[in-house]
């Protein structure tokens, strides 16, 4: 069977797929149920914008207006995130920085805001250090104790804490964290302060798709035979069904 499309039509379809691919891939990533952390939002939309910018200035024969329309729509929808000086933008940036998968790999897209973001992140680590002094950062190397022989009749007297010392420690933790080659969530066990930041800022979901799936599981679990379940047991049943399918 011969193809009924002309060469121009095939070229148009190829270009349309090329323009739509970044958006489709981003939707799949953000709506996925694996590693659905808020920290993936900002790097994902920055990557989409960069890909669309390249397409909008490329030598597309037919679909350059489509790429431009996609780009304008993304810029309008996520303007508060791209500016990075809004609450939404700062929270998304902290979520991405505290997510080991991304850290600061997305910084080339925001060159003019790098210093500001790093200062903000360091300040946040400093605040957590001040609020949780009992947390010992396992990533900071310590010297071995002197031993029992050196007993001077009392406990060692600590030098008075100074805000600058705490800020320097925050900077050292941040530097060591960014230089760490590992990118799995397991590495956060070595950085308890950043782990706390991660849990706070990555709790929101990047998409409502995960919640919508949970409602679907609830509908499947809400059968006539289960109408005697308590609210607590019904919730447990829905969560178990969702976890079993993931």
């Amino acid at each position: 069977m011969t193809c009924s499309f002309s060469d121009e039509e095939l070229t148009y379809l190829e270009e349309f797929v090329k323009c739509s691919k970044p958006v489709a891939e981003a939707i799949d990533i953000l709506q996925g149920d694996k590693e659905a952390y808020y920290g993936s939002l900002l790097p994902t939309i920055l990557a989409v914008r960069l890909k669309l910018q390249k397409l909008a200035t490329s030598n597309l024969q037919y679909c350059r207006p489509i790429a431009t329309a996609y780009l304008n729509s993304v810029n309008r929808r996520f303007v508060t995130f791209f500016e990075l000086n809004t609450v939404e933008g700062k929270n998304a940036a902290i979520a991405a920085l505290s997510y080991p998968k991304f850290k600061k790999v997305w910084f080339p897209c925001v060159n003019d805001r790098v210093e500001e973001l790093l200062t903000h992140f360091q300040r946040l680590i400093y605040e957590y250090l001040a609020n949780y002094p009992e947390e010992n950062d396992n990533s900071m190397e310590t010297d071995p104790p002197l031993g029992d022989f050196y007993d001077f009749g009392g406990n060692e007297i600590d030098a008075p804490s100074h805000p600058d010392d705490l800020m320097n420690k925050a900077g050292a933790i941040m530097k060591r964290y960014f230089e760490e080659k590992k990118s799995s969530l397991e590495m956060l066990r070595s950085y308890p302060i950043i782990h706390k930041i991660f849990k706070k800022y990555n709790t929101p979901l990047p998409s409502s798709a995960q919640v919508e799936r949970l409602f679907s599981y609830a509908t499947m679990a809400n059968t006539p035979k289960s109408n005697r379940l308590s609210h607590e047991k019904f919730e447990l049943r829905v969560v178990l069904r969702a976890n079993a399918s993931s």
Side-chain angles (χ1 to χ4, degrees):
M1 183 177 179
T2 58
C3 180
S4 58
F5 292 107
S6 65
D7 291 341
E8 290 79 7
E9 290 171 331
L10 289 174
T11 301
Y12 177 88
L13 290 174
E14 290 174 357
E15 291 185 358
F16 182 82
V17 170
K18 184 183 294 186
C19 292
S20 302
K21 184 178 179 180
V23 178
E25 288 181 340
I27 291 174
D28 285 342
I29 292 171
L30 295 177
Q31 291 188 346
D33 54 1
K34 303 290 185 182
E35 300 184 7
Y37 299 109
Y38 194 60
S40 62
L41 176 60
L42 186 59
T44 301
I45 60 177
L46 285 172
V48 170
R49 185 176 68 169
L50 181 60
K51 293 177 186 298
L52 292 175
Q53 286 172 342
K54 292 179 179 179
L55 286 169
T57 56
S58 65
N59 57 349
L60 294 175
Q61 188 174 356
Y62 301 107
C63 291
R64 191 184 300 173
I66 294 178
T68 302
Y70 276 144
L71 177 60
N72 292 337
S73 297
V74 168
N75 283 330
R76 283 196 304 270
R77 173 62 182 85
F78 299 105
V79 60
T80 56
F81 292 89
F82 292 143
E83 289 178 355
L84 292 175
N85 58 358
T86 61
V87 174
E88 295 90 343
K90 288 181 179 179
N91 288 346
I94 294 300
L97 288 172
S98 61
Y99 188 5
K101 180 178 179 179
F102 292 106
K103 295 181 182 175
K104 54 187 179 70
V105 69
W106 47 277
F107 270 8
C109 291
V110 291
N111 279 327
D112 57 330
R113 293 298 180 89
V114 168
E115 186 174 350
E116 177 185 347
L117 290 173
L118 289 177
T119 301
H120 182 54
F121 191 48
Q122 182 178 352
R123 183 73 186 180
L124 194 60
I125 296 173
Y126 162 81
E127 292 174 358
Y128 271 73
L129 284 172
N131 292 330
Y132 300 97
E134 73 281 359
E135 291 284 2
N136 293 317
D137 196 286
N138 297 330
S139 67
M140 305 300 292
E141 297 179 358
T142 57
D143 295 327
L146 288 174
D148 296 336
F149 175 79
Y150 295 100
D151 183 3
F152 299 103
N155 295 326
E156 183 178 354
I157 300 175
D158 294 330
S161 178
H162 191 275
D164 289 344
D165 296 335
L166 210 56
M167 184 61 79
N168 290 335
K169 183 178 181 181
I173 292 173
M174 182 179 70
K175 183 175 184 294
R176 188 180 294 270
Y177 165 72
F178 285 142
E179 290 177 350
E180 182 80 55
K181 299 300 182 183
K182 298 177 182 177
S183 60
S184 66
L185 292 179
E186 295 295 324
M187 69 166 291
L188 290 177
R189 294 182 179 180
S190 300
Y191 301 88
I193 293 297
I194 295 180
H195 193 189
K196 288 182 179 294
I197 296 173
F198 171 84
K199 287 192 291 185
K200 177 179 179 179
Y201 286 88
N202 278 276
T203 298
L205 296 172
S207 168
S208 63
Q210 294 85 358
V211 179
E212 293 167 6
R213 276 195 291 270
L214 199 61
F215 278 112
S216 298
Y217 292 128
T219 302
M220 289 186 285
N222 189 24
T223 61
K225 292 182 179 180
S226 306
N227 62 1
R228 305 289 293 179
L229 289 175
S230 65
H231 295 305
E232 292 78 11
K233 289 186 177 180
F234 177 75
E235 181 180 349
L236 288 173
R237 188 171 183 177
V238 172
V239 173
L240 286 172
R241 183 184 287 267
N243 289 339
S245 63
S246 61

